[in-house]
Amino acid sequence: MDVFRSLKSRNYRLFFYGQSISLIGTWMQKTAACWLVYRLTNSAVLLGVVSFVSLIPSLFLSPYAGSYIDRHNRYRLMIITQVISMAQAGALALMILLRFYNIPGIIFLSLVQGIINAFDVTCRQSLMMEMVENKEDLPNAIALNSTMANFARIAGPALAGIVLSTFGEDICFAGNFLSYVPVLISLFMMKMDLPVIVKSERSIWAELREGWQYISHDRDLSSLLLMLTASSLLVMPFNTLMPIFAKDIFNGSARTFSWFESAAGLGSIAAAIYMAQLKAGKDLVKILITSSLIFGLSLVLLSYAGWLPLALLFMTLSGVGMMAQTSAINTYIQTHAIPAMRARAISYYIMAYQGMIPIGSLLTGLMAQWIGPRATVCIAGLTGIVATIVFVQHRRKSQPAAPGIFPSSGKMLTNDRNSARA
């Protein structure tokens, strides 16, 4: 099938299968951790804190990670990050198996995972270009990667809901630890032919400045990253409050919470399949604008839904909008950034995406404590709509001065851009 064309590449196929299993384990653990923290504390603030510490390292470390990865063998680094992630998952699983319900301990291990992810996510994203043999299939591989992640977002919480209600949290944490085994097996089976890394004589800090200059002087990339930053900070963290929606607003259980996570995953996978089928020539910015409006409107409707099936429907639409928004930006960056700057460009994408969400999660938890979860989600949706309108107005003003901005083609405008960067 055309939608799976990037799986013809052996290395990407191995990566895809291994990560599919691991991500299900990750979402099982994430669902179980959120439920455990709220069950033990009944605190929206602590829910925000757990999300904050697990993602805040991306804000500070991602630019450094991008420069570091550009100077080293990405394949070896990915193996190292997966081994360390497995050790972290094992420590957390052991804590829960021994019934050592220590909230500061859970927060600390979440922070450790966040530090690992700052390097791991950037490494995986930048290595994808080398995994795919036919470079024209790269956008398809990016979309399939998102499909895989969002399938796990459906299967992981759904499975976690069953396991939580039947066996308890400890099995979810142990399952995540074991899920790293197929990832490592698939990585060791790869045959990567990476270009030789020429050791740079410049300091990594000089390369950090170079990466910042590249991003800030490219109007296309910088405007898209600003839009993603606004969404990650003010809109996406609404998900932090879903345990409250499930338990308090709809009087549900852990299984009800898993339905909310799975509904968002279902919408995300539908959007990812659409993105995987896109042909060259599709205007990614139009997709970004449409999906951002869908995202914001669905949150406004979700915030005042009084019937659980209707709330799950709006949650599904939020997954459609959020997935298409982030995937369009990710695809644009990976297909337009020059090779020497790809990891650094992706690191700023990770910074704008994962780095902003923890701050937003903390603010969302505090706001929910102050004005309530429904009003907080409504404000997030309205903010997303306003941010989209501002982005559109900014683009209209900038286009006359730069007619080549936001090309609909997936190909890079090498002549204009290289001359501008010289």
Side-chain angles (χ1 to χ4, degrees), residues 153-371:
R153 187 174 182 173
I154 298 172
L159 187 57
I162 297 171
V163 173
L164 282 170
S165 58
T166 308
F167 302 105
E169 294 101 346
D170 47 358
I171 303 301
C172 290
F173 290 97
N176 182 49
F177 169 71
L178 294 174
S179 73
Y180 282 96
V181 174
V183 176
L184 291 172
I185 292 174
S186 66
L187 286 175
F188 287 124
M189 289 176 66
M190 288 183 183
K191 297 177 182 178
M192 298 295 295
D193 185 20
L194 296 177
V196 177
I197 303 295
V198 179
K199 189 173 182 179
S200 176
E201 295 181 358
R202 293 178 300 166
S203 71
I204 197 168
W205 303 109
E207 294 191 352
L208 263 172
R209 287 195 299 272
E210 187 180 56
W212 168 252
Q213 290 172 353
Y214 170 72
I215 292 295
S216 60
H217 286 84
D218 190 309
R219 195 181 300 176
D220 299 21
L221 299 182
S222 60
S223 60
L224 289 169
L225 288 172
L226 283 173
M227 176 64 184
L228 181 62
T229 299
S231 183
S232 300
L233 178 65
L234 303 171
V235 189
M236 294 182 195
F238 85 95
N239 200 46
T240 304
L241 304 179
M242 288 308 103
I244 302 175
F245 269 64
K247 185 172 184 288
D248 295 342
I249 294 177
F250 290 102
N251 301 312
S253 62
R255 185 167 295 185
T256 312
F257 172 46
S258 74
W259 290 346
F260 275 91
E261 293 289 353
S262 295
L266 182 63
S268 297
I269 201 170
I273 290 173
Y274 168 76
M275 296 295 293
Q277 298 181 81
L278 288 181
K279 304 292 184 181
K282 275 288 185 180
D283 192 333
L284 292 173
V285 176
K286 286 184 179 178
I287 294 173
L288 165 65
I289 293 168
T290 303
S291 59
S292 298
L293 290 174
I294 292 172
F295 188 19
L297 182 59
S298 66
L299 294 192
V300 174
L301 295 172
L302 169 66
S303 66
Y304 289 104
W307 186 39
L308 180 58
L310 197 59
L312 294 175
L313 172 62
F314 296 140
M315 192 70 180
T316 302
L317 290 175
S318 76
V320 171
M322 183 169 62
M323 168 60 220
Q325 179 192 69
T326 55
S327 182
I329 296 173
N330 188 7
T331 302
Y332 190 95
I333 291 173
Q334 293 216 38
T335 53
H336 286 71
I338 61 175
M341 291 286 180
R342 187 179 302 118
R344 274 169 278 187
I346 293 169
S347 72
Y348 279 99
Y349 166 82
I350 301 301
M351 180 181 178
Y353 183 24
Q354 292 191 352
M356 288 293 122
I357 288 178
I359 299 176
S361 296
L362 196 59
L363 292 174
T364 297
L366 292 169
M367 187 176 291
Q369 202 88 334
W370 178 38
I371 63 174

Side-chain angles (χ1 to χ4, degrees), residues 13 15 39 103 115 121 130 135-137 146 164 171 184 235 246 275 282-283 306 347 361 388 399 401 412:
R13 186 168 63 249
F15 169 81
R39 179 175 67 81
I103 299 300
I115 295 171
V121 176
E130 276 71 37
K135 303 313 174 190
E136 292 184 0
D137 291 340
S146 298
L164 282 170
I171 303 301
L184 291 172
V235 189
M275 296 295 293
K282 275 288 185 180
D283 192 333
S347 72
S361 296
T388 307
Q399 266 190 315
M412 192 174 178

